Amino acid sequence: GSKSVSKVKRLEIYDRWGSKLFNGTDIDIKNFDEGWNGTLNGKRVVNGVYVWVALVEFIDGEEIYYTGDVTVID
């Protein structure tokens, strides 16, 4: 995050088949415990690439969608 980011209004994580694994809302960017921790139903996900979609709200009220991927490895 940066000083211009107010919060992450929505963060979604998907597996390669398009199944939603995580749905977070109103995430405080200063609190790392509010994001996805690499688990599903309390168990660590298998190693692989996962897609994320985030709706970020800036301090001026502007909202922008961002997308990307994250690789989970042990």
Side-chain angles (χ1 to χ4, degrees):
S2 73
K3 292 180 182 180
S4 64
V5 173
S6 172
K7 65 183 169 184
V8 177
K9 289 189 76 168
R10 186 168 51 240
L11 174 63
E12 299 171 343
I13 308 291
Y14 297 90
D15 66 16
R16 65 181 176 171
W17 297 281
S19 297
K20 189 184 294 186
L21 306 180
F22 178 82
N23 185 41
T25 57
D26 296 326
I27 297 170
D28 178 355
I29 63 168
K30 296 176 184 143
N31 186 350
F32 292 111
D33 293 332
E34 292 187 19
W36 184 52
N37 63 1
T39 63
L40 175 63
N41 299 324
K43 296 184 179 182
R44 187 105 170 126
V45 296
V46 298
N47 290 347
V49 178
Y50 297 85
V51 174
W52 59 268
V53 178
L55 176 59
V56 176
E57 180 181 81
F58 293 87
I59 58 174
D60 66 0
E62 181 179 17
E63 296 178 354
I64 299 176
Y65 275 100
Y66 293 93
T67 62
D69 59 74
V70 59
T71 302
V72 175
I73 56 173
D74 285 328

